[in-house]
Amino acid sequence: MSQINSAPPRREESPERLARPLIQLAKGCGVATCYIDQLGTYVEIRDAVLISVLGALGVDASTPELVDINLNARRNEAHERLVAPTVVKFLGTPASTPLHTKHGEPHIGLTLEDGSDATDALSLTFREHDGDVDVYDLAISDNLEIGYHTLHVRDGETGSERDVDVTLLCAPASIPVPEALASHKRWGWMTQMYSVRSPESWGVGDYGDLRELLVDAAGSGADFMLINPVHASAPVSPIEPSPYSPMSRRFINTTYIRPQDIAEFAELDEQDAAAVRALHEQVAPMNTESSPMDLDAAWKAKRAALQIIFRQPRSPERQASFEAFKEKAGADLDTWALWSVAFEVLGEPWEPDSWFRMTAKSNPRIQALRTEHPDLYEFACWLQWIAEEQLDAAQRAARDAGMSLGLMQDMAVGVHSYGADAWGNPERFAVGSVTVGCPPDFYNQQGQDWGQPPLNPNYLELTGYRMYREMVHHMFEHAGAIRIDHILGLFRLWWIPAGQGAKGGAYVTYNYDAMIAVLSIEATRVNGIVIGEDLGTVPDFVRNVLARHGLLGTTVEWFARVDDSPNAGDPYAMPQTYRTYSLSSVTTHDLPPTAGYLMLEQVKLREELGLLTEPVEEFRESALAERQAMLDLLVQGGWMSQEAADDVPDNLQTIVEAMHAMLTDAPSLLLQAALVDGVGEARAQNQPGTSTQYPNWRIPLADEHLKVVPTQEVFKSPRVQALAKIMNRINQ
């Protein structure tokens, strides 16, 4: 009987495909022409997708002739480029960059961030003659401070027109582990801050609630609290509910301001104070409702109150502080304020033929808004100042209460396509109709299209990553840690051409060394830490690079299977095998709370919303197999009895606590519990792959009986206290 030899699975492109000019052009422009999906399947990107993505990078590949022209132009540019526009140096790691000259040995210099000269940290070595250019290697020594320095290069000593200044990012080889974390593991809570409300709230959780939560969390033994992104949302209705689709990542969310905490509120006369109180009374009943929050009604009342307080005269000291804030924020604040006024005066930017499409920031019609509506312009600036004050007060309260990190801010992947960032600085983003998302995986079988414009990697390189530097710096001003959603975006992003669907995209690569250098510099300067959300389709080398540079990864119990198996029902990994450099948790905001997940809430939701690509019976069986595998591990490891595992509905809290007890046995530097798991909430905060089909990011914090848990009662809850007691075992 003849033996049948099965060929090994395909893992790379054929020589014939690699020889094609379109494939070579795409690769040369940083566009991946194939990838390995989460199931290990080799996938080739279609020509039509590659052509569209190249077009978004400003490279016309619509005909074979244009492909050849652009391929040759790119090769010539690489051959003649004097020096890369951004150079990265990690201290303790040898670093050199090539220089291509036409006039002999180049003249070089280095100016540090503080203005001092450090040319002696540079050295040149001739490498080779390459046609009409000479190639030198410019080596950079370790005798430098971390920071953003300027490298000067001139082609030859004199008489050359090729004379450039480029950015040198000098970073520590690895982000130092803060002393508090180096001594022993730390744990914290995660919550959607808008979901937790008090009688003082305006229908939505605010920075005042956050301050109280942080102080109470510190009292429970926690060292940090991860919250949803607080990037800026639209200042007028309709409010975008998703914190992961901000209008700007440079500024922060003003809808979370608490009017009563503004200094000028206490100085209002009785009439104005009564008007503010009356506005609060209109929305205060919403604070006790467990139904999805009405963000627009809440903001309408709060905004009216804020306008009253804005008109109250400020003391000379307060006005000076406001002026200093505006000076520091600079041109970006002007962009934000103009966009805000245009939104309010000229209408919604996404309407057909709106001002967003027809006018640029420099357009006289837009510039006139500053003088035609000075109060609205100044109000937009003032809101940002107040929001920063209140967020900063929350972080200071956390540190004063004893938290080693305090706030852990979450960085969204990108921005709204009609937001201020995309409007005011379109050159920062890819041109044409491409959006960012991710390919299909086990938990999102149709893939995801987040509808956001991708940052242009070429712009980042040419500008020394200045906009990224400013964003990260601003976030660390109000946080001890930053979690980066979809950390793979530092390495590559899934660009989706219009009309292709989430499956029809391609990965575009980014200079991850440069962005990791920025994160390392900013974290080191504040003794902070960076966590990357590296779940889903993430190559091993990404996790290795993150660990090498001291960025923590992310581990979730529901995803942590033996050998990283993607198959539901396969055995779960023991917590002792989790990574040390990781933020480990039981669950994540993209899953229902643990009680809901155990009761198959994810199956019910996906069936109701039509998100399944397989029969619901099959998905339910896989979910049951997944649950059983988790129960088996909990029993096997001694964290729970078999009797509890045999009766899930009557032992939900027992299982939730067992999963957290298991978590405390992980070696991970940071461990995390969710407030929703503490109070017994079962409803999902977010269902990936939906927008209006489900009330994403509008579910208030409630217990298992759908009774709202107010801010001041959260850490008095016996269930929350029981979970905190379990998490505090790491300190025993």
Side-chain angles (χ1 to χ4, degrees), residues 59-81:
V59 179
D60 190 345
S62 57
T63 67
E65 292 77 15
L66 286 169
V67 168
D68 289 338
I69 290 171
N70 281 304
L71 182 57
N72 288 329
R74 181 163 188 84
R75 288 169 174 166
N76 290 336
E77 192 276 334
H79 172 72
E80 296 188 355
R81 185 172 66 182

Side-chain angles (χ1 to χ4, degrees), residues 39-55:
L39 297 176
T41 304
Y42 167 78
V43 181
E44 289 184 348
I45 308 301
R46 293 181 289 110
D47 285 4
V49 173
L50 294 176
I51 291 169
S52 295
V53 170
L54 284 168

Side-chain angles (χ1 to χ4, degrees), residues 308-571:
I308 293 172
I309 301 171
F310 168 69
R311 291 192 292 267
Q312 174 67 26
R314 292 175 283 280
S315 69
E317 294 78 14
R318 290 278 292 166
Q319 184 62 34
S321 177
F322 181 30
E323 296 299 330
F325 167 79
K326 289 189 290 184
E327 178 70 21
K328 180 181 177 182
D332 282 341
L333 182 61
D334 177 64
T335 296
W336 171 260
L338 280 174
W339 178 87
S340 300
V341 176
F343 196 130
E344 184 164 2
V345 174
L346 303 180
E348 297 174 355
W350 41 78
E351 291 297 321
D353 300 324
S354 78
W355 55 271
F356 188 96
R357 299 178 183 278
M358 298 178 66
T359 59
K361 179 185 173 183
S362 59
N363 185 280
R365 179 69 190 95
I366 295 295
Q367 289 294 312
L369 294 174
R370 193 185 292 104
T371 53
E372 292 173 357
H373 303 278
D375 285 349
L376 288 178
Y377 178 89
E378 194 78 347
F379 182 56
C381 297
W382 178 82
L383 287 174
Q384 283 298 325
W385 175 55
I386 295 298
E388 281 219 3
E389 280 194 331
Q390 295 194 357
L391 184 60
D392 187 59
Q395 170 65 353
R396 281 188 283 107
R399 299 302 290 266
D400 290 345
M403 282 189 166
S404 60
L405 292 175
L407 266 180
M408 183 183 291
Q409 283 209 51
D410 202 352
M411 182 193 293
V413 178
V415 295
H416 198 289
S417 57
Y418 289 99
D421 286 2
W423 171 73
N425 300 100
E427 70 281 359
R428 298 177 178 177
F429 299 90
V431 298
S433 299
V434 292
T435 52
V436 172
C438 62
D441 59 30
F442 178 78
Y443 289 93
N444 299 284
Q445 297 163 339
Q446 299 178 17
Q448 296 183 63
D449 184 345
W450 302 322
Q452 299 173 345
L455 282 173
N456 188 326
N458 299 328
Y459 172 84
L460 291 171
E461 283 283 302
L462 290 171
T463 57
Y465 291 79
R466 178 173 292 277
M467 59 84 59
Y468 191 74
R469 287 151 44 184
E470 291 174 348
M471 177 182 64
V472 175
H473 176 80
H474 183 249
M475 292 184 72
F476 263 125
E477 285 185 320
H478 314 290
I482 292 178
R483 173 193 178 271
I484 302 178
D485 192 47
H486 194 66
I487 192 71
L488 185 60
L490 300 189
F491 297 76
R492 65 185 192 187
L493 278 175
W494 185 251
W495 289 24
I496 306 167
Q500 295 293 334
K503 296 180 180 180
Y507 279 116
V508 176
T509 59
Y510 289 76
N511 184 347
Y512 60 83
D513 276 340
M515 287 189 278
I516 288 175
V518 170
L519 291 164
S520 301
I521 292 167
E522 296 297 336
T524 300
R525 284 176 166 174
V526 298
N527 198 29
I529 198 161
V530 179
I531 298 95
E533 185 270 290
D534 56 356
L535 305 172
T537 309
V538 179
D540 288 340
F541 91 90
V542 170
R543 295 191 172 100
N544 294 334
V545 169
L546 296 178
R548 185 168 70 246
H549 289 289
L551 281 75
L552 273 63
T554 302
T555 304
V556 175
E557 281 188 355
W558 283 117
F559 302 154
R561 297 189 181 89
V562 174
D563 296 328
D564 292 324
S565 170
N567 303 316
D570 281 359

Side-chain angles (χ1 to χ4, degrees), residues 608-725:
E608 290 173 3
L609 301 174
L611 300 177
L612 296 175
T613 58
E614 60 186 315
V616 65
E617 294 78 14
E618 290 183 16
F619 187 58
R620 182 178 293 107
E621 285 302 313
S622 70
L624 285 169
E626 181 179 53
R627 184 177 77 178
Q628 189 59 52
M630 179 61 71
L631 295 173
D632 290 345
L633 179 62
L634 293 171
V635 173
Q636 172 193 338
W639 295 288
M640 190 179 69
S641 69
Q642 185 64 56
E643 290 76 15
D646 291 339
D647 187 359
V648 172
D650 286 342
N651 289 280
L652 287 177
Q653 190 60 20
T654 298
I655 301 171
V656 169
E657 292 182 6
M659 292 181 72
H660 285 81
M662 182 174 79
L663 186 69
T664 63
D665 285 341
S668 305
L669 286 177
L670 296 179
L671 304 177
Q672 183 171 259
L675 282 185
V676 287
D677 285 347
V679 301
E681 174 71 84
R683 297 173 297 174
Q685 280 290 331
N686 174 54
Q687 175 54 57
T690 65
S691 53
T692 58
Q693 305 97 311
Y694 182 78
N696 293 326
W697 316 114
R698 287 174 286 158
I699 304 298
L701 186 70
D703 63 18
E704 72 274 26
H705 305 298
L706 291 183
K707 180 182 178 182
V708 165
V709 183
T711 305
Q712 67 275 15
E713 298 296 328
V714 169
F715 289 94
K716 296 177 183 178
S717 162
R719 297 176 73 156
V720 172
Q721 291 176 351
L723 213 54
K725 184 177 181 180

Side-chain angles (χ1 to χ4, degrees), residues 216-262:
D216 289 347
S220 76
D223 275 293
F224 65 89
M225 179 175 283
L226 169 63
I227 60 172
N228 55 279
V230 291
H231 305 307
S233 66
V236 294
S237 298
I239 300 297
E240 167 58 56
S242 174
Y244 292 93
S245 187
M247 298 300 173
S248 171
R249 291 195 297 177
R250 169 61 181 83
F251 295 103
I252 60 178
N253 195 321
T254 58
T255 70
Y256 296 151
I257 292 172
R258 177 175 287 183
Q260 307 96 301
D261 288 351
I262 301 172

